[in-house]
Amino acid sequence: MKKFFRFSERCDLLLEESRSWLGTPFHMRSHAKGESGGVDCVGLVQDIFYALGAIPDMYTLPEYAIDWHKHNDHSMLEDFININYADSFLVIEPDEPVCVGDLLGIIPRGRCIHHAGIVHQEGSFIHTMVGKGVIESNQNESSSGFELGKIFRPIEL
């Protein structure tokens, strides 16, 4: 299996597409780009990957509670990825190095994976947060409170 983002051209397009979402506000179960739009983490990663051809389809997000991860051990987000995109990603354990294009399954101060972001350049990932919208964050910043649960690496279909 070959990584989808193994070519520099694809990595450049990933950085360009992901940065075009910066400033979009957070809005649950949405994926509309721009200051008057709104997106949650799953909508963001789906739209970026779909625009670049890394996933074949987009799926409606299931209803979810914003604080699901605080009260549950089972990840709805991980199920969503595994059910809808099993053929599009290779699952990598969190102790492996991350690569540009990897989808990060994040445990945000809770009990299970309930947040996602995309590594869009070395050391940096894009994601969206309540109150901040779409932002770039440093992967190694320990003050974020994020724990990496799994890495989902896009592969050639």
Side-chain angles (χ1 to χ4, degrees), residues 61-72:
L61 302 174
E63 293 285 336
Y64 66 91
I66 196 75
D67 63 348
W68 174 270
H69 62 290
K70 293 180 181 177
H71 311 288
N72 295 278

Side-chain angles (χ1 to χ4, degrees), residues 68-112:
W68 174 270
H69 62 290
K70 293 180 181 177
H71 311 288
N72 295 278
D73 294 322
H74 184 80
S75 172
M76 290 177 65
L77 175 56
E78 191 173 355
D79 283 350
F80 180 80
I81 295 167
N82 290 333
I83 290 167
N84 296 302
Y85 299 114
D87 294 336
S88 299
F89 294 98
L90 179 64
V91 178
I92 309 292
E93 291 305 316
D95 57 343
E96 295 294 319
V98 298
C99 299
V100 170
D102 284 352
L103 171 61
L104 305 178
I106 298 167
I107 303 168
R109 291 190 177 117
R111 297 163 46 180
C112 65

Side-chain angles (χ1 to χ4, degrees), residues 129-143:
M129 295 180 62
V130 176
K132 293 185 179 182
V134 178
I135 58 172
E136 293 178 271
S137 292
N138 184 317
Q139 286 173 233
N140 302 315
E141 190 175 302
S142 60
S143 64

Side-chain angles (χ1 to χ4, degrees), residues 2-6 10-11 14 18 45 48-49 52 54 81 88-106 115-122 124-127 139 148 150-155:
K2 295 181 180 177
K3 291 188 324 183
F4 185 85
F5 292 100
R6 67 186 184 280
R10 284 186 181 167
C11 294
L14 172 62
S18 62
V45 299
I48 292 171
F49 283 145
L52 300 173
I81 295 167
S88 299
F89 294 98
L90 179 64
V91 178
I92 309 292
E93 291 305 316
D95 57 343
E96 295 294 319
V98 298
C99 299
V100 170
D102 284 352
L103 171 61
L104 305 178
I106 298 167
H115 186 56
I118 301 173
V119 178
H120 67 161
Q121 62 182 352
E122 190 174 326
S124 178
F125 70 104
I126 190 155
H127 60 127
Q139 286 173 233
L148 185 57
K150 284 196 177 158
I151 302 164
F152 301 88
R153 181 158 296 149
I155 55 175

Side-chain angles (χ1 to χ4, degrees), residues 9 28 46 50 53 70 74 86 96-97 111 113 146-147 152:
E9 296 83 9
M28 286 177 60
Q46 277 195 113
Y50 185 74
K70 293 180 181 177
H74 184 80
E96 295 294 319
R111 297 163 46 180
I113 294 171
F146 292 161
E147 177 186 342
F152 301 88

